[in-house]
């Protein structure tokens, strides 16, 4: 069952700061900040929300279809998608731009500061949902501003159910635009910080947002997740790990679990638990696409964590 993944494809330059940002920033001097962080380690990874979600969905034996844009430097990403068996037929190449680039610095407490160059993402609105063909479910993840707005309207017009996942793109939209996304969406997925920003900008409480969609999912890091659906809240536990290595892409792994569970007809407790497990698997590896458990390994870890097997 094909899942359409609208969002960014990007190259991530990931750096590690061995201290804590809070120790280097003075709260009363943030209006004239001038600070440098020594980052002894640096690496370049394949990333972007669409790429990360598709990668994790493929691990689950799902059927991801990416709708995104790449720049003049994107050939290696196209070759990677082909090698992974992920369709690139809805990926548009924009020769006049660079592929989107994220520069991510993570401190010792797993806090992150990210600088992002959108590049080819600015042309995401040139992609058309109708070109994807039949899909079971879509997700509108962070992408070019115009593309996110247009893809949401197109999904609604074509009656394609979709998850609205504003992520780091949330600040691009005002309250009226965010309320429009919510009205058009079937599901909304945010982390706890984004949830607070969403309620502040829309003037709607989490409960009011949940009333307008089939489910509102709020991830809470090491505290698991809350799923608001059918007038109740389902608490999803976090799956403990021996070592937290890199949080980059954990939210995307969680959303891949959501897509798989929903397209397979799983109930929300099982869908949420599978999503939580995918996030925990990812966080023990560097980068957003370097973990590679088999389907059998994922199923075994699910049973170990929750005491039953998912369908």
């Amino acid at each position: 069952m094909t899942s359409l993944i609208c969002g960014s494809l990007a190259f991530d330059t990931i750096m590690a700061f061995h201290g804590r940002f809070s120790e280097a920033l003075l709260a009363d001097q943030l209006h004239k900040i001038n600070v440098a962080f020594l980052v002894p380690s640096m690496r370049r990874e394949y990333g972007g929300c669409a790429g990360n979600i598709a990668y994790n969905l493929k691990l689950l034996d799902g059927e991801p279809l990416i709708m995104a844009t790449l720049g003049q430097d994107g050939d290696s990403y196209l070759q990677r998608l082909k090698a992974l068996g992920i369709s690139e037929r809805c990926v548009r190449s924009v020769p006049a731009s660079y592929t989107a680039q994220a520069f991510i610095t993570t401190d010792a407490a797993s806090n992150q500061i990210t600088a992002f160059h959108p590049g080819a993402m600015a042309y995401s609105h040139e992609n058309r949902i109708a070109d994807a063909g039949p899909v079971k479910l879509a997700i509108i993840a962070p992408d070019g501003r115009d593309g996110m707005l247009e893809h949401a309207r197109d999904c609604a017009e074509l009656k394609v159910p979709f998850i609205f996942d504003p992520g780091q793109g949330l600040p691009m939209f005002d309250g009226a635009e965010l309320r429009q996304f919510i009205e058009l969406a079937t599901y909304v997925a945010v982390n706890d910080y984004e949830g607070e920003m969403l309620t502040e900008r829309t003037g709607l409480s989490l409960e009011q947002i949940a009333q307008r969609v089939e489910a509102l999912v709020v991830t809470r890091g090491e505290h698991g997740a809350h799923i608001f659906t059918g007038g109740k809240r389902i608490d999803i536990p976090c799956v403990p790990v021996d070592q937290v290595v890199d949080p980059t892409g954990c939210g995307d792994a969680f959303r891949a679990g959501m897509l798989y569970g929903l397209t397979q007809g799983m109930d929300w407790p099982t869908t949420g638990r599978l999503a939580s497990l995918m996030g925990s698997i990812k966080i023990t590896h560097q980068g957003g696409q370097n973990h590679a458990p088999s389907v059998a390994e994922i199923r075994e870890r699910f049973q170990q964590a929750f005491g039953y097997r998912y369908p």
Side-chain angles (χ1 to χ4, degrees):
M1 297 182 183
T2 303
S3 296
L4 180 64
I5 303 170
C6 303
S8 62
L9 291 175
F11 294 116
D12 293 339
T13 299
I14 302 174
M15 297 159 282
F17 172 54
H18 293 173
R20 294 173 180 264
F21 295 140
S22 59
E23 297 169 350
L25 299 173
L26 300 176
D28 61 344
Q29 298 295 312
L30 294 180
H31 63 289
K32 56 177 182 180
I33 187 171
N34 186 355
V35 62
F37 300 106
L38 177 65
V39 288
S41 64
M42 183 179 76
R43 67 189 189 281
R44 196 171 192 235
E45 305 280 2
Y46 293 100
C49 294
N52 292 343
I53 294 170
Y55 178 84
N56 283 278
L57 184 55
K58 191 68 177 180
L59 290 178
L60 287 162
D61 204 25
E63 297 180 22
L65 175 61
I66 295 174
M67 180 167 283
T69 50
L70 285 171
Q72 58 186 276
D73 54 344
D75 284 349
S76 65
Y77 214 138
L78 287 174
Q79 293 303 315
R80 173 174 175 78
L81 294 177
K82 290 178 182 178
L84 291 169
I86 297 174
S87 174
E88 75 281 1
R89 66 178 176 86
C90 289
V91 176
R92 179 185 298 270
S93 293
V94 184
S97 295
Y98 288 104
T99 297
Q101 314 270 334
F103 302 88
I104 305 166
T105 303
T106 304
D107 74 359
S110 295
N111 297 305
Q112 294 183 315
I113 294 176
T114 300
F116 189 76
H117 170 66
M121 273 177 50
Y123 297 87
S124 64
H125 61 281
E126 296 182 0
N127 290 324
R128 298 286 181 265
I129 298 296
D131 294 339
V135 296
K136 178 76 171 180
L137 178 65
I139 183 168
I140 297 178
D143 203 352
R145 170 186 159 81
D146 292 344
M148 292 179 71
L149 288 165
E150 186 166 317
H151 294 157
R153 290 191 290 263
D154 287 351
C155 280
E157 183 177 337
L158 294 169
K159 301 189 185 306
V160 176
F162 73 91
I163 301 168
F164 175 48
D165 171 26
Q168 65 265 34
L170 196 154
M172 296 189 297
F173 305 104
D174 62 26
E177 290 166 332
L178 291 168
R179 285 193 295 273
Q180 182 185 41
F181 275 119
I182 293 167
E183 295 297 336
L184 295 175
T186 315
Y187 315 99
V188 173
V190 290
N191 64 27
D192 47 2
Y193 178 81
E194 295 157 0
E196 290 184 15
M197 183 179 294
L198 188 60
T199 60
E200 180 181 317
R201 293 205 171 189
T202 62
L204 301 171
S205 67
L206 292 179
E207 290 74 17
Q208 289 173 321
I209 294 171
Q211 291 170 3
R212 288 163 167 79
V213 292
E214 290 189 19
L216 166 64
V217 179
V218 182
T219 60
R220 305 170 61 243
E222 69 273 20
H223 300 296
H226 290 157
I227 299 175
F228 299 86
T229 184
K232 61 182 180 180
R233 190 186 83 186
I234 301 170
D235 294 337
I236 303 297
C238 177
V239 179
V241 297
D242 293 333
Q243 183 181 13
V244 173
V245 175
D246 180 8
T248 305
C250 285
D252 298 328
F254 187 102
R255 280 141 185 78
M258 279 184 62
L259 284 169
Y260 187 81
L262 289 168
T263 56
Q264 297 298 315
M266 297 181 194
D267 60 29
W268 273 112
T270 300
T271 295
R273 283 167 169 78
L274 180 59
S276 179
L277 174 64
M278 294 304 293
S280 75
I281 291 173
K282 205 268 32 114
I283 206 169
T284 61
H285 295 75
Q286 294 280 8
Q289 301 179 24
N290 291 322
H291 51 298
S294 67
V295 173
E297 289 170 336
I298 294 172
R299 287 185 173 277
E300 181 61 28
R301 292 187 63 171
F302 185 95
Q303 184 171 31
Q304 290 175 355
F306 303 114
Y308 68 101
R309 289 188 176 272
Y310 65 84

